[in-house]
């Protein structure tokens, strides 16, 4: 998957390129709007990450010119947290946006969602290693043993397994599992993960752990050999 | 719109005073004039009546008629006035005597019969062809030795009277005008003097600046009329001073609160870079940096939220929400952290509430987060809804240390922390309750905190608009 980043701030551009490369994307970086537009037209990308505040040609102009002949998904980055700004971006044809400062895990998650195109198919059965989830019957078993989970624990596990291999930030988890869309200075997510591990991982030691903390970022479901 | 020159209150009042005095003096003058005019006319009419009666009496004497025939000028002298006129004749014949020094037309009113006494009401008032006012009275008289009845007409042109009254009118007008001018002048200066306290007030207000908001207008020597203005002005100053104090405090608090995480970031990074370290140590450092940075982000998010809600850029999207569901959602969110401290969260409430769902969850979330942190281990936290006549109250109750009244008054202020030392830790930034307050302001609702006998209760009162 090829991604073009259009970002003038040197440090931001550098870490975005590095981070996305390490997340498995092929990444090009343009450091101003004119180069960015040129590159976007010349080469075939799957997605563009576009900063709004650019010298020369700003992000809105790049987006407008780009939309004249292209349907490529565009995720824009803005430091201005004004509702009018966001609406403007989406009306001009952007597909998603992130407000600076954003967590890198969040960016990767948004990019993956855009590349998947359209809502994720709700699988009826999920499986990671010897853990099986029957979404319809809301049954979870590991190594043949039935695990009883509360509704929220089930939703949390389902979310992690659906995004197997991806890091989910605490705010993403809070938003998707509890529909709480603000940072509340609490350790709700950490506590929930701890309780989930106590049911899903700990009883099955020495089988490999499935739920991992990613320090400073969030949590990930993964089988590590 | 074009800017108008502001009108002068002094000038306006002085002119008003002048006009008023002019009107009053004019009215008084007109009344006096009227009295004088009536009196003059009565006197003149009475003189005419007297003259006719006098001649009637004279005619009773036979000699009189002879005398008239012989010496008509004698009568002319008798009248002793250039304006008086007298006409004696037999009806329908040329006059026996005609005294008419001004050669005016002598009118002939209906004659009074010979035996009837002449009344004041018999005097008629005319204007001659040349527009000279004339009063006249005619009466018949029997004379000894006369061929029949004699017709006597006594008349008087009123030229001197008209002149007198005209002069009088002019005087009144001139006096009223002079009076009005005097009033205007004196009024202007008196008003200027009277309004001196206003100018002093303005001069004083002029000295108020952001740096000197503590100054107050002095109402001791001010007139009673200005006291409400001075009081209102002083109250406004007090409010502004409060607001500025608060802003200053917030900036200071914000700077102070930024310092801790920034200091941690800087310090621990510098220490780490001081010498080569293991990968684990670097990872620990970076993770800790992330924590501090997230703290900074939360703080800026919260500050932005507060700033926007206070500048009314944000509008609550109020809609009917099922209370039980909303309370349960928030309670469920905090179930984990609550159980860590062996707390039980119980939810009591039903019906509907009118609120913005996202803001409501945030407000309740902040209250419950506090309750979970401060509740006694093993106690119960109650989240409940009470329906009033015009409002719905949502409350969060927990058992824990009683909060002193002095703190309760200020817990909703920004950055206010009851125990400054304890909450310097990473969890709270002292903005949670001020966000709750802002959310309630957006809902035009109320917020209260009570704490007594180990029970602390935070309530949010949502007005209940007709849905």
């Amino acid at each position: 998957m090829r991604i073009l980043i259009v970002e003038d701030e040197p440090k931001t551009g550098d870490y975005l390129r590095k981070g996305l490369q390490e997340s498995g994307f092929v990444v090009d970086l343009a450091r101003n709007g004119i180069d960015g537009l040129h590159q976007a037209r010349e080469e075939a990308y799957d997605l563009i990450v576009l900063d709004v505040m650019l010298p020369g040609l700003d992000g809105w102009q790049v987006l407008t010119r780009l939309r004249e002949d292209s349907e490529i998904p565009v995720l824009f980055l803005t430091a201005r947290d004004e509702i009018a700004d966001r609406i403007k971006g989406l009306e001009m044809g952007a597909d998603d946006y992130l407000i600076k400062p954003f967590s890198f895990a969040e960016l990767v998650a948004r990019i993956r969602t855009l590349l998947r195109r359209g809502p994720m198919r709700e699988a009826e059965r999920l499986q990671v290693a010897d853990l099986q989830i029957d979404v319809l019957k809301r049954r979870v078993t590991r190594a043949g043993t039935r695990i009883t989970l509360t509704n929220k624990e089930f939703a949390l596990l389902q979310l992690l397994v659906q995004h197997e291999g991806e890091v989910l930030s605490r705010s993403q988890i809070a938003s998707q599992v509890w529909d709480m869309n603000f940072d509340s200075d609490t350790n709700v997510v950490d506590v929930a993960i701890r309780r989930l591990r106590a049911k899903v991982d700990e009883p099955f030691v020495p089988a490999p752990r499935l739920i991992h903390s990613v320090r400073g970022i969030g949590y990930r479901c993964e089988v590590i050999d | 719109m074009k800017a108008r020159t502001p009108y002068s209150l002094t000038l306006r009042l002085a002119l008003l005073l002048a006009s008023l005095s002019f009107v009053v003096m004019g009215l008084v003058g007109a009344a006096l004039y009227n009295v004088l005019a009536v009196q003059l006319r009565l006197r003149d009419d009475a003189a005419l009546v007297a003259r006719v009666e006098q001649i009637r009496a004279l005619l009773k004497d036979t000699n009189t008629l002879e005398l008239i025939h012989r010496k008509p000028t004698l009568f002319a002298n008798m009248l002793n006035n250039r304006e008086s006129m007298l006409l004696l004749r037999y009806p329908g014949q040329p006059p026996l005597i005609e005294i008419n020094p001004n050669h005016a037309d002598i009118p002939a009113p209906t004659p009074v019969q010979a035996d009837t006494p002449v009344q004041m009401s018999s005097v008629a008032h005319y204007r001659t062809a040349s527009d000279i006012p004339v009063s006249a009275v005619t009466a018949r008289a029997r004379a000894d030795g006369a061929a029949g009845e004699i017709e006597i007409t006594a008349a008087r042109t009123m030229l001197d009277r008209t002149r007198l009254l005209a002069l009088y009118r002019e005087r009144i007008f001139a006096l009223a005008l002079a009076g009005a001018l005097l009033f205007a002048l004196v009024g202007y200066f008196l008003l200027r003097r009277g309004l001196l306290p206003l100018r002093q007030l303005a001069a004083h207000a002029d000295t108020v600046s952001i740096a000197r908001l503590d100054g107050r207008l002095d109402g001791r020597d001010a007139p009673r009329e200005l006291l409400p203005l001075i009081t209102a002005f002083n109250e406004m100053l007090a409010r502004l001073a409060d607001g500025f104090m608060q802003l200053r405090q917030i900036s200071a608090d914000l700077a102070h609160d930024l310092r801790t995480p920034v200091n941690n970031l800087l310090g621990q990074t510098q220490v780490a870079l001081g010498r080569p370290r293991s990968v684990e140590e670097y990872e620990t450092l970076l993770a800790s940096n992330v924590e501090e940075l997230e703290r900074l982000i939360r703080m800026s998010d919260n500050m932005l939220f507060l700033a926007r809600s206070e500048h009314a850029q944000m509008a609550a999207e109020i809609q009917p929400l099922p209370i039980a569901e909303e309370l349960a959602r928030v309670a469920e969110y905090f179930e984990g952290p609550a159980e860590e401290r062996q707390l039980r969260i119980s939810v009591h409430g039903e019906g509907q509430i009118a609120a913005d769902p996202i803001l409501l969850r945030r407000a309740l979330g902040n209250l419950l987060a506090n309750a979970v942190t401060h509740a006694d281990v093993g106690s119960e936290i109650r989240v409940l809804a009470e329906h009033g006549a015009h409002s719905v109250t949502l409350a969060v109750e927990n058992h824990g240390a009683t909060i002193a009244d002095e703190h309760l008054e200020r817990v909703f202020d920004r950055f206010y922390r009851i125990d400054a030392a304890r909450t310097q830790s990473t969890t709270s930034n002292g903005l949670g309750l001020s966000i709750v307050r802002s959310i309630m302001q957006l809902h035009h609702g109320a917020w209260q905190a009570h704490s007594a006998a180990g029970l602390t209760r935070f309530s949010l009162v949502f007005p209940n608009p007709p849905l």
Side-chain angles (χ1 to χ4, degrees):
Chain A
M1 289 289 196
R2 290 190 70 187
I3 294 180
L4 173 66
I5 301 168
V6 189
E7 167 67 76
D8 64 307
E9 216 285 313
K11 279 194 176 183
T12 312
D14 288 345
Y15 95 74
L16 286 178
R17 176 164 58 187
K18 188 172 180 188
L20 290 179
Q21 277 170 348
E22 287 174 0
S23 301
F25 298 103
V26 178
V27 184
D28 286 335
L29 173 62
R31 298 207 184 260
N32 63 58
I34 295 160
D35 290 355
L37 183 63
H38 180 73
Q39 256 173 282
R41 282 178 164 164
E42 292 301 308
E43 315 221 2
Y45 293 102
D46 297 296
L47 182 136
I48 295 177
V49 177
L50 180 65
D51 185 28
V52 173
M53 307 280 271
L54 290 171
L57 206 58
D58 76 23
W60 304 132
Q61 290 169 307
V62 173
L63 183 59
T64 311
R65 304 268 288 272
L66 202 59
R67 278 286 174 259
E68 287 168 8
D69 53 10
S70 167
E71 290 294 310
I72 183 169
V74 172
L75 186 152
F76 72 91
L77 308 176
T78 174
R80 293 189 40 192
D81 180 16
E82 303 293 330
I83 293 165
D85 247 33
R86 296 182 236 164
I87 292 171
K88 183 180 175 189
L90 295 177
E91 278 179 349
M92 289 174 84
D95 299 270
D96 201 354
Y97 64 88
L98 272 176
I99 295 155
K100 293 179 183 175
F102 52 84
S103 105
F104 187 75
E106 183 91 28
L107 175 69
V108 175
R110 300 285 187 100
I111 288 175
R112 290 224 163 94
T113 307
L114 281 181
L115 289 176
R116 243 182 246 125
R117 292 267 189 177
M120 204 166 36
R121 194 172 51 85
E122 280 268 317
E124 289 175 13
R125 288 176 173 281
L126 297 165
Q127 183 162 7
V128 182
D130 54 352
L131 177 81
Q132 288 188 320
I133 303 176
D134 185 327
V135 177
L136 292 180
K137 292 184 183 158
R138 306 190 79 76
R139 274 170 63 120
V140 179
T141 55
R142 184 161 187 191
T145 311
R146 173 89 183 267
I147 301 172
T148 312
L149 297 177
T150 65
N151 282 343
K152 291 298 167 190
E153 283 165 352
F154 183 86
L156 178 57
L157 182 63
Q158 186 186 358
L159 180 72
L160 287 166
V161 172
Q162 275 172 341
H163 292 84
E164 187 194 342
E166 295 174 28
V167 186
L168 297 172
S169 70
R170 288 177 181 78
S171 60
Q172 270 176 290
I173 294 173
S175 161
Q176 302 220 15
V177 175
W178 287 275
D179 197 11
M180 298 295 267
N181 294 296
F182 60 95
D183 279 313
S184 57
D185 295 342
T186 54
N187 58 345
V188 168
V189 174
D190 304 304
V191 171
I193 291 278
R194 194 150 66 226
R195 295 154 69 88
L196 186 61
R197 276 177 171 159
K199 290 182 176 177
V200 173
D201 275 342
E202 280 161 26
F204 300 96
V205 175
R209 292 176 172 274
L210 298 176
I211 303 167
H212 304 272
S213 312
V214 183
R215 290 194 67 179
I217 305 180
Y219 296 96
R220 172 166 54 197
C221 170
E222 200 176 22
V223 188
I224 300 175
D225 301 324
Chain B
M1 259 200 34
K2 230 177 113 182
R4 280 194 327 157
T5 320
Y7 64 86
S8 154
L9 192 63
T10 315
L11 197 64
R12 219 176 227 210
L13 283 174
L15 287 179
L16 201 69
L17 199 62
S19 322
L20 196 67
S21 72
F22 183 73
V23 168
V24 169
M25 285 165 77
L27 283 175
V28 170
L32 288 175
Y33 170 86
N34 213 30
V35 170
L36 179 70
V38 169
Q39 282 301 320
L40 282 175
R41 174 186 270 190
L42 282 177
R43 271 177 53 187
D44 289 341
D45 289 358
L48 287 179
V49 169
R51 178 160 301 145
V52 172
E53 287 290 7
Q54 195 184 9
I55 293 171
R56 259 186 176 175
L58 281 173
L59 286 176
K60 293 237 162 77
D61 191 342
T62 326
N63 295 336
T64 312
L65 207 54
E66 265 182 50
L67 204 62
I68 288 169
H69 286 300
R70 275 190 289 130
K71 289 192 173 169
T73 47
L74 198 69
F75 284 87
N77 295 339
M78 194 178 90
L79 295 180
N80 198 21
N81 188 324
R82 284 190 61 80
E83 294 219 64
S84 298
M85 294 171 286
L86 185 67
L87 196 68
L88 264 75
R89 64 180 177 192
Y90 292 104
Q93 306 222 343
L96 299 171
I97 292 177
E98 180 178 357
I99 303 164
N100 189 355
N102 288 334
H103 308 290
D105 307 330
I106 299 178
T110 318
V112 178
Q113 292 308 309
D115 302 325
T116 318
V118 182
Q119 306 281 338
M120 293 280 281
S121 54
S122 309
V123 181
H125 305 276
Y126 298 89
R127 278 183 175 272
T128 63
S130 44
D131 206 31
I132 300 166
V134 176
S135 302
V137 63
T138 301
R140 293 201 174 150
R142 288 199 190 87
D144 274 4
E149 289 184 345
I150 290 180
E151 198 178 80
I152 311 161
T153 299
R156 190 186 194 288
T157 57
M158 309 299 282
L159 285 171
D160 61 337
R161 298 292 187 239
T162 311
R163 269 198 298 277
L164 179 73
L165 288 173
L167 187 69
Y168 193 66
R169 271 202 310 271
E170 279 162 25
R171 285 274 161 79
I172 286 172
F173 183 76
L175 274 174
L177 202 64
L181 277 173
L182 192 71
F183 262 98
L185 245 112
V186 172
Y188 184 78
F189 284 106
L190 284 180
L191 283 167
R192 265 186 75 84
R193 258 189 77 91
L195 291 178
L196 193 67
L198 258 189
R199 284 198 299 284
Q200 286 169 341
L201 200 65
H204 197 143
D206 218 26
T207 63
V208 173
S209 70
I210 290 174
R212 289 197 48 210
L213 271 178
D214 50 335
R216 294 287 176 273
L217 300 187
D218 187 359
R220 273 175 305 180
D221 301 327
R224 199 159 14 137
E225 289 82 351
L226 284 184
L227 284 181
L229 178 67
I230 290 174
T231 312
F233 191 85
N234 281 341
E235 279 165 4
M236 180 189 79
L237 274 183
R239 284 196 300 274
L240 283 179
D242 271 3
F244 274 108
M245 273 288 280
Q246 224 174 338
L247 271 183
R248 223 174 281 168
Q249 190 59 42
I250 286 166
S251 314
D253 289 342
L254 182 61
H256 181 258
D257 274 61
L258 283 174
R259 262 192 197 151
T260 314
V262 169
N263 183 57
N264 289 350
L265 277 171
L266 187 67
Q268 67 196 15
T269 308
Q270 282 174 336
V271 167
L273 290 174
R275 65 159 90 142
R277 298 186 188 270
S278 70
V279 173
E280 286 76 31
E281 279 178 288
Y282 285 127
E283 280 181 353
T284 309
L285 167 73
L286 290 175
S288 163
N289 281 358
V290 167
E291 273 174 17
E292 296 302 318
L293 290 168
E294 281 178 342
R295 203 169 141 191
L296 286 173
I297 288 173
R298 264 204 304 278
M299 201 186 300
S300 81
D301 279 354
N302 286 337
M303 288 304 291
L304 259 179
F305 179 90
L306 287 172
R308 277 198 201 129
S309 68
E310 276 170 24
H311 289 102
Q313 285 176 8
M314 197 151 52
E317 287 175 22
I318 293 173
Q319 49 188 272
L321 300 168
I323 289 174
E325 199 174 295
E326 289 299 326
L327 297 188
R329 180 203 303 273
V330 181
E332 201 170 32
Y333 183 61
F334 286 96
E335 213 164 55
E339 278 180 28
E340 299 254 298
R341 305 192 63 229
Q342 289 98 52
L343 300 170
R344 212 171 69 76
I345 303 178
S346 67
V347 173
H348 315 267
E350 51 197 18
Q352 299 230 313
I353 191 167
D356 179 314
I358 291 171
L359 296 179
L360 173 69
R361 282 166 212 167
R362 188 163 184 167
L364 277 178
N366 286 354
L367 291 187
L368 211 51
N370 281 350
V372 168
T373 311
H374 298 295
D376 289 335
V377 172
S379 64
E380 182 187 10
I381 294 174
R382 281 160 53 88
V383 183
L384 44 104
E386 289 160 358
H387 291 266
H390 303 290
S391 63
V392 180
T393 303
L394 302 184
V396 175
E397 288 180 356
N398 73 274
H399 295 276
T402 303
I403 305 171
D405 284 347
E406 80 223 46
H407 294 309
L408 273 184
E409 283 170 16
R410 298 199 53 203
V411 284
F412 288 100
D413 291 353
R414 280 177 209 197
F415 294 114
Y416 190 78
R417 294 187 178 95
I418 292 168
D419 180 354
R422 185 180 55 184
T423 37
Q424 277 299 353
S425 63
T426 50
T427 49
S428 164
N429 57 27
L431 291 174
L433 286 177
S434 60
I435 284 179
V436 171
R437 180 180 63 182
S438 284
I439 288 173
M440 293 317 293
Q441 280 168 343
L442 287 171
H443 283 88
H444 307 291
W447 54 95
Q448 286 146 16
H450 298 283
S451 189
L455 184 71
T456 299
R457 173 189 168 113
F458 283 88
S459 358
L460 310 178
V461 185
F462 289 81
N464 213 357
L467 293 171

